[in-house]
C-alpha cells in the first residue's frame, strides 16, 4: 500500500486498515460505509441468494471478523468517525447516491 501511495497513482483499497497504514499520506481520502441491518439482509438475500437466517449469520460473522482484524492491526477502533474523512450510512440514500456523495467529496478534495 505504501509503495503504491508513494507512486502518486490513484487507487482504491477496501479495508486492510488503509486509513491507519496510509494516514501520513496527503492524498488519503477515507470513508467508513455502513448500512442498516435490514438493508444489508435484503442485499445479501438478493445478491448472494441466501435465505434470511443465513444472511443474518453471514453479516454478523463478516462484521465481527472485520472489526477484530481492524482493531488488532490499527491503533484506532473500527468505525470511529475520527479515522475517516466521512462516514456514510448507505441505507439512508441508497448505493447509487452514496457513490455520488463519495465521488463529489473526492472531486472537491482534488480541487482544493
Amino acid at each position: 500500500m505504501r509503495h503504491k501511495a508513494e507512486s502518486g497513482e490513484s487507487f482504491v483499497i477496501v479495508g486492510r486498515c488503509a486509513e491507519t497504514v496510509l494516514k501520513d499520506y496527503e492524498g488519503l481520502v477515507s470513508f467508513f460505509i455502513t448500512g442498516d441491518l435490514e438493508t444489508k439482509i435484503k442485499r445479501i438475500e438478493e445478491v448472494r441468494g441466501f435465505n434470511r437466517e443465513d444472511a443474518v449469520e453471514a453479516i454478523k460473522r463478516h462484521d465481527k471478523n472485520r472489526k477484530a482484524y481492524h482493531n488488532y492491526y490499527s491503533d484506532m477502533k473500527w468505525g470511529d468517525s475520527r479515522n475517516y474523512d466521512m462516514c456514510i450510512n448507505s441505507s439512508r440514500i441508497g448505493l447509487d447516491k452514496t457513490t455520488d456523495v463519495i465521488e463529489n467529496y473526492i472531486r472537491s478534495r482534488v480541487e482544493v
Side-chain angles (χ1 to χ4, degrees):
M1 279 191 272
R2 288 185 188 104
H3 178 72
K4 187 78 164 173
E6 288 169 7
S7 78
E9 183 181 347
S10 294
F11 62 101
V12 174
I13 295 176
V14 177
R16 300 292 165 227
C17 303
E19 82 291 342
T20 298
V21 173
L22 301 176
K23 68 183 174 188
D24 296 327
Y25 290 87
E26 185 179 320
L28 174 67
V29 182
S30 61
F31 300 93
F32 186 85
I33 304 167
T34 190
D36 299 336
L37 182 59
E38 284 304 315
T39 304
K40 289 179 178 182
I41 292 169
K42 248 179 153 175
R43 180 151 172 81
I44 296 297
E45 288 173 333
E46 291 170 7
V47 172
R48 304 209 36 212
F50 286 15
N51 64 40
R52 182 178 178 81
E53 184 179 320
D54 290 342
V56 169
E57 183 59 35
I59 291 164
K60 286 182 180 180
R61 183 178 57 253
H62 185 71
D63 284 350
K64 180 181 177 184
N65 290 340
R66 290 176 64 198
K67 182 178 181 179
Y69 177 93
H70 185 278
N71 289 347
Y72 182 82
Y73 289 104
S74 176
D75 54 351
M76 299 291 278
K77 296 296 179 197
W78 186 66
D80 184 334
S81 63
R82 295 173 293 179
N83 293 335
Y84 309 96
D85 289 283
M86 184 183 296
C87 297
I88 304 171
N89 184 331
S90 62
S91 297
R92 304 287 193 251
I93 59 175
L95 294 177
D96 289 339
K97 288 183 181 175
T98 297
T99 302
D100 292 342
V101 168
I102 291 170
E103 254 185 70
N104 288 331
Y105 183 83
I106 292 170
R107 288 183 201 283
S108 296
R109 280 281 305 271
V110 170
E111 292 171 3
V112 171

